[in-house]
Amino acid sequence: MHRERIDPQDHTANLLSFSRDGFVVVPGMFDAHEIALVEHDFQSASAVPSPKLVLETNGEIRSLFLERGDAPNIDVLVRQRRLLDLAEAMLDSHVYAYQVKVNSKKALSGDQWPWHQDYVFWREKDGLPTPRVLTAGVLLHDATEFSGPMYFVPGSHRGGVLQSVHSEAPAGDYAKDLAKDLSYQLTGDLLEPMVRRLGMASATGTAGSVVFFDCNVAHCSPNNLSPFDRRILFITYCSVDNVPVFAPRRRPNFLSNRDPSPLHPLGTDAFTTRRRG
Ligand code: 6CS
Ligand code: FE
């Protein structure tokens, strides 16, 4: 069976950018057929009311969280060797899927994500012990400067968790971890000097490109005022050495996967043997 092997050495420049900036966009990792299969899974899975479906205030879909088995083609994509090779090189270990979601910004109305870091949510709410965790965002549509791309502060990941936080929500309450009025937002008095020093960058790219970002890099994304949808499939890969051991307030499995088994790589052929849906 054909197994393309992506040698991380071919990605030296990408690994260096990720280490330096805390993010990197790798163009053209997936083709239109593969993206269409993922989009089909999204349409099917989001048609079912569920606590995994987070809505905007206008009723449009903001996020759809997925557990293994919810979306067969996405399960295959999560295990693609071309992603695992990079995630394992970046985290220097085998990895498991900590969280899988599709964030959607509907044309003309998709809402923003304020400035934040991701790791603080997983540490404070799930007890994830170390920041050996990253996210790969697979662009399901072109992310242009007009359609609500991700913005980053390059290099901000080197400061660790940037502001002292107090865990505010009672156990089981995670709505503000996923909404526009987000918990643990980075404040202006922290961002102003940091952006003056490090600048800002946007992660634009065509559908099928992948933006990898560190769990501590400061990021946000603006509204989508373009007439085109903007969806991104976010896969949070976590080192198998990094597992919550005890957290009184750990959230449901779709937010904090209880199964830290290492992901075994699949090749491109795994898609072709999968029928839609
Ligand atoms: O709380 C969480 O797990 C989610 N919240 C944000 C703002 N980003 C990381 C993650 O998807
Ligand atoms: Fe985030």
Side-chain angles (χ1 to χ4, degrees):
M1 184 166 19
H2 168 64
R3 283 256 195 277
E4 101 280 9
R5 166 128 201 108
I6 293 182
D7 177 354
Q9 293 311 317
D10 298 344
H11 280 281
T12 303
N14 290 324
L15 295 172
L16 289 174
S17 292
F18 178 79
S19 171
R20 181 191 62 219
D21 298 334
F23 75 98
V24 64
V25 178
V26 182
M29 288 193 80
F30 293 94
D31 66 28
H33 171 67
E34 294 163 330
I35 294 302
L37 289 173
V38 170
E39 181 65 14
H40 179 270
D41 273 10
F42 170 77
Q43 297 299 338
S44 307
S46 59
V48 181
S50 152
K52 304 178 199 176
L53 201 56
V54 180
L55 302 183
E56 304 275 25
T57 48
N58 68 1
E60 295 290 353
I61 296 171
R62 181 174 175 85
S63 298
L64 170 69
F65 287 84
L66 296 160
E67 293 175 288
R68 185 172 187 178
D70 288 346
N73 295 303
I74 292 175
D75 283 344
V76 168
L77 186 141
V78 166
R79 289 157 178 77
Q80 285 298 296
R81 181 182 292 286
R82 65 196 108 159
L83 287 176
L84 292 183
D85 277 352
L86 277 171
E88 290 178 352
M90 290 164 174
L91 294 173
D92 191 24
S93 85
H94 289 297
V95 297
Y96 69 102
Y98 187 76
Q99 198 177 93
V100 178
K101 64 180 177 285
V102 175
N103 280 358
S104 180
K105 287 183 188 245
K106 196 77 179 154
L108 302 172
S109 67
D111 222 332
Q112 63 177 248
W113 287 83
W115 282 105
H116 66 280
Q117 295 170 292
D118 288 347
Y119 175 58
V120 66
F121 289 87
W122 301 326
R123 184 189 73 184
E124 291 297 309
K125 302 302 286 291
D126 305 324
L128 193 66
T130 81
R132 289 186 68 192
V133 53
L134 63 84
T135 298
V138 181
L139 304 185
L140 305 185
H141 297 97
D142 294 353
T144 71
E145 60 182 297
F146 307 110
S147 63
M150 294 184 74
Y151 293 167
F152 292 99
V153 177
S156 54
H157 61 305
R158 285 196 288 273
V161 176
L162 293 167
Q163 62 186 9
S164 60
V165 295
H166 58 280
S167 294
E168 51 205 24
D173 179 357
Y174 51 81
K176 283 193 70 178
D177 304 339
L178 312 174
K180 178 182 174 183
D181 62 333
L182 210 50
S183 315
Y184 309 134
Q185 291 184 39
L186 299 177
T187 53
D189 58 7
L190 185 147
L191 284 162
E192 195 268 350
M194 186 167 70
V195 172
R196 197 178 296 285
R197 182 164 52 92
L198 298 173
M200 280 173 61
S202 66
T204 56
T206 52
S209 302
V210 183
V211 50
F212 293 83
F213 57 102
D214 185 282
C215 66
N216 273 323
V217 71
H219 60 285
C220 68
S221 62
N223 299 24
N224 176 9
L225 295 181
S226 82
F228 311 110
D229 290 353
R230 187 238 68 178
R231 272 188 281 285
I232 300 178
L233 167 65
F234 287 107
I235 306 159
T236 296
Y237 290 110
C238 192
S239 166
V240 292
D241 305 324
N242 189 22
V243 180
V245 287
F246 169 69
R249 302 162 354 111
R250 191 171 182 181
R251 300 174 300 173
N253 191 70
F254 68 84
L255 287 172
S256 179
N257 180 12
R258 266 60 169 176
D259 177 5
S261 310
L263 292 171
H264 296 297
L266 296 176
T268 51
D269 55 323
F271 281 112
T272 52
T273 56
R274 293 264 175 170
R275 277 185 297 286
R276 287 179 167 226

